[in-house]
Amino acid sequence: MILEALINEEAVKEGDKAPDFELQRQDGGLFRLHDLLKEKNVVLYFYPKDSTPGCTKQACEFRNQYEVFKEFDAEVVGVSSDSLQSHQKFERVHQLPFTLLSDKGGQIRSIYGVPRRLGLLPGRVTYIIGKDKVVRAVYNSMNKPLEHINTALEVLRSINVEQKQIA
């Protein structure tokens, strides 16, 4: 319990600059967060495991709303510790149009401070990051995978309004 509290204090929070990282995409190419942020807002979501009921439901809802995310000039990026082969199968079976990253060993999960449930299960946390590399919102819920999509869309709506006012 004390360890969990320490991790949460070190977690990336709303208003923080998003830590940059590089990981392999499901197609084998290299993904770098700050390269994508030069062009788009990013919905970075950490999830426990490919092909489990909650994770499948969440990924499919991100897929179903993908065109709306694109309208808000946002890209969806999923991260789990599954292998590239697992991600490739998950993407193919569910026709996922977005990037999945393999965080073997959980280094990026650790950098972001994504908590574990019961100390064992990887958590489910979504970070909505503006093009300015600032985390605009963090949504943490293991049991409400679909709320991650709703929350991300709400935040992106407000970012979109903000960016239009500046332009």
Side-chain angles (χ1 to χ4, degrees):
M1 198 75 150
I2 293 170
L3 182 59
E4 229 171 76
L6 289 174
I7 290 170
N8 289 339
E9 281 183 29
E10 295 173 10
V12 172
K13 297 177 285 310
E14 185 177 327
D16 290 351
K17 184 176 177 187
D20 194 16
F21 63 86
E22 289 183 351
L23 282 176
Q24 249 188 326
R25 296 187 312 251
Q26 76 267 31
D27 65 7
L30 195 61
F31 171 91
R32 183 166 183 242
L33 179 62
H34 283 189
D35 287 346
L36 183 57
L37 286 168
K38 291 175 185 173
E39 303 168 16
K40 299 192 174 289
N41 301 305
V42 174
V43 176
L44 179 67
Y45 83 99
F46 291 85
Y47 64 99
K49 187 156 181 54
D50 290 343
S51 303
T52 57
C55 295
T56 299
K57 191 182 294 186
Q58 182 180 32
C60 289
E61 187 61 17
F62 271 121
R63 176 201 64 207
N64 295 346
Q65 298 295 328
Y66 189 69
E67 290 303 315
V68 179
F69 283 101
K70 284 174 55 176
E71 287 172 19
F72 287 128
D73 204 19
E75 187 57 50
V76 175
V77 179
V79 181
S80 80
S81 60
D82 292 300
S83 69
L84 293 177
Q85 294 78 12
S86 176
H87 283 338
Q88 289 165 352
K89 181 180 178 190
F90 192 48
E91 172 194 28
R92 186 178 60 253
V93 168
H94 299 290
Q95 300 174 335
L96 304 177
F98 51 85
T99 300
L100 297 176
L101 302 174
S102 181
D103 184 24
K104 277 291 190 201
Q107 292 175 327
I108 306 310
R109 183 177 290 277
S110 179
I111 289 169
Y112 274 77
V114 177
R116 292 186 163 276
R117 189 169 185 196
L118 305 172
L120 302 170
L121 300 173
R124 184 187 315 276
V125 180
T126 299
Y127 298 85
I128 299 90
I129 308 166
K131 293 178 192 176
D132 57 3
K133 301 176 185 166
V134 174
V135 176
R136 300 303 184 92
V138 178
Y139 185 75
N140 180 353
S141 174
M142 192 69 158
N143 299 324
K144 296 180 181 176
L146 299 182
E147 284 302 309
H148 290 256
I149 293 86
N150 296 334
T151 300
L153 288 172
E154 284 176 31
V155 172
L156 288 168
R157 273 187 197 93
S158 67
I159 291 173
N160 196 38
V161 167
E162 180 185 303
Q163 288 173 344
K164 283 182 179 178
Q165 289 173 345
I166 292 171

